[in-house]
Amino acid sequence: MKLGMIGLGRMGGNMARRLMQGGHQIVAFDRDPDAVAKLVADGAEGAASLVEVRGKLDSPAIWWVMLPAGAITEQTVAAIAEGAKAGDIVIDGGNSFYKDDIRRAKMLADRGLKYVDVGTSGGVWGLDRGYCMMIGGDDETMRLLDPVFETLAPGAGKIPRTPGRVHDKVDPRAEKGYIHAGPPGAGHFVKMVHNGIEYGLMQAYAEGFDILKSKSSDKLPEDERFDLNLTDIAEVWRRGSVISSWLLDLTAIALAKDSMLSQFSGHVADSGEGQWTIDAAMEEKVPANVLTAALFARYRSRIEHTFGDQVLSAMRFGFGGHTEIPQ
């Protein structure tokens, strides 16, 4: 299939490359001409404007917007809508707020356009590993775009099938690494909760390693002090432990490079989805004690930093290439 990729950053550029590796054609646009030039060198067709993108796409045109959530995505979707033709499809693969998706879908539907929201997880590793996707949109559009999603997804791989899952009676896409979550907005809602859970998991690891490191403190009785090797602890937990995970793998990698994580100050930013998850929990009157505490810990990290905050920063850099905000 042929589609326009709008936004060629850490995620958009590599997603475009994975699609091209899978036989799809990409028309690439970014405000940074160098980003376009790099993708053209990898086989994409470049464009200098959204108007030029539309002229190079088939009908219906497929636009994949991969930009930061907020004003820039809003403006880009509106600009695409101005030049789009009835039947064209606009995909938002960033981390937009799901209520914005619902509103945009209605706005585009009035113009005869389709809107799909794709919650995307996979970070800077996605080019090789594939991307886990949670998708909102109508059934017909979903079926049309299936070849695109199947290319981006990791596939079944070597992960054992889930015992008890009646595989011949359920949607096979989940095992491939993507789902049709529901109507517009549902994809980003599921991804939002995914990120809220991620905050909690990361905070648990961070606090655990902070406790381990602090066991050598001279504030403790001498015979109760342990000079623990955090690098080895992270490594052994990866192998057979019930708390093994990709996040722990990333922590082990970071500690192996520098056991003090000295390149990280521990100033931990957030994408906004943690707060949106807590907002949803409040709207639904669902207790979310761990997720709320994890979000507040990130806020606190911007005032004072602990080793645990450095662990959080290391994990964020590991999976998403997120660098700390200068203070």
Side-chain angles (χ1 to χ4, degrees):
M1 301 184 75
K2 191 172 188 179
L3 64 155
M5 183 65 73
I6 315 303
L8 308 175
R10 287 190 303 263
M11 293 286 284
N14 279 346
M15 292 176 79
R17 290 180 177 90
R18 186 172 175 90
L19 285 168
M20 289 189 292
Q21 290 172 4
H24 300 278
Q25 297 172 280
I26 295 294
V27 179
F29 172 70
D30 192 283
R31 292 186 297 180
D32 179 3
D34 290 340
V36 176
K38 289 177 182 177
L39 208 64
V40 169
D42 288 337
E45 188 175 358
S49 68
L50 293 176
V51 172
E52 189 175 347
V53 172
R54 182 62 187 90
K56 295 184 176 186
L57 293 176
D58 301 326
S59 290
I62 303 170
W63 307 75
W64 190 304
V65 179
M66 205 67 194
L67 297 168
I72 186 170
T73 292
E74 194 72 37
Q75 293 162 5
T76 301
V77 170
I80 289 172
E82 286 297 320
K85 300 176 182 178
D88 284 0
I89 302 167
V90 180
I91 304 168
D92 179 8
N95 282 332
S96 290
F97 185 41
Y98 77 98
K99 292 184 181 180
D100 290 335
D101 292 314
I102 296 170
R103 173 178 50 78
R104 287 186 200 130
K106 293 176 180 177
M107 181 269 288
L108 293 180
D110 290 341
R111 296 169 175 259
L113 308 176
K114 300 288 189 177
Y115 183 86
V116 175
D117 56 291
V118 182
T120 309
S121 182
V124 295
W125 300 70
L127 175 59
D128 297 321
R129 291 167 54 113
Y131 301 88
C132 171
M133 292 169 290
M134 299 134 270
I135 306 160
D138 66 83
D139 291 336
E140 180 183 359
T141 306
M142 184 73 191
R143 285 192 295 271
L144 177 67
L145 295 173
D146 252 330
V148 172
F149 298 136
E150 189 158 4
T151 299
L152 286 171
K158 297 179 180 179
I159 298 174
R161 303 190 91 174
T162 301
R165 184 176 171 86
V166 185
H167 304 287
D168 60 344
K169 296 183 179 179
V170 294
D171 191 332
R173 291 178 288 198
E175 286 191 325
K176 298 177 182 179
Y178 68 106
I179 60 168
H180 182 197
H188 276 146
F189 183 80
V190 175
K191 176 57 164 48
M192 177 190 80
V193 177
H194 164 284
N195 280 27
I197 293 170
E198 178 186 290
Y199 282 31
L201 293 172
M202 292 172 68
Q203 187 65 30
Y205 285 124
E207 291 177 9
F209 278 99
D210 207 355
I211 294 168
L212 292 169
K213 182 177 182 296
S214 298
K215 192 58 177 170
S216 62
S217 171
D218 58 11
K219 296 178 182 178
L220 294 172
E222 188 171 356
D223 62 350
E224 294 182 14
R225 299 175 201 165
F226 303 147
D227 186 14
L228 300 169
N229 187 319
L230 303 188
T231 303
D232 283 353
I233 291 170
E235 187 63 30
V236 76
W237 282 353
R238 293 180 60 218
R239 302 175 185 280
S241 164
V242 296
I243 63 167
S244 59
S245 72
W246 186 35
L247 289 171
L248 182 59
D249 293 345
L250 296 172
T251 303
I253 292 169
L255 288 168
K257 291 178 179 178
D258 174 10
S259 63
M260 299 304 293
L261 303 179
S262 54
Q263 77 175 93
F264 302 103
S265 71
H267 182 103
V268 188
D270 69 278
S271 63
E273 290 186 299
Q275 180 177 331
W276 298 341
T277 301
I278 304 310
D279 290 343
M282 293 176 68
E283 290 176 2
E284 299 164 18
K285 296 181 173 55
V286 174
N289 302 332
V290 171
L291 307 190
T292 302
L295 175 64
F296 288 168
R298 293 199 176 193
Y299 294 163
R300 189 265 310 137
S301 78
R302 298 164 204 176
I303 302 171
E304 56 178 338
H305 315 307
T306 67
F307 182 74
D309 297 327
Q310 291 173 270
V311 175
L312 285 176
S313 287
M315 280 188 277
R316 293 186 81 243
F317 180 77
F319 66 71
H322 302 291
T323 53
E324 295 174 336
I325 299 172
Q327 301 175 56

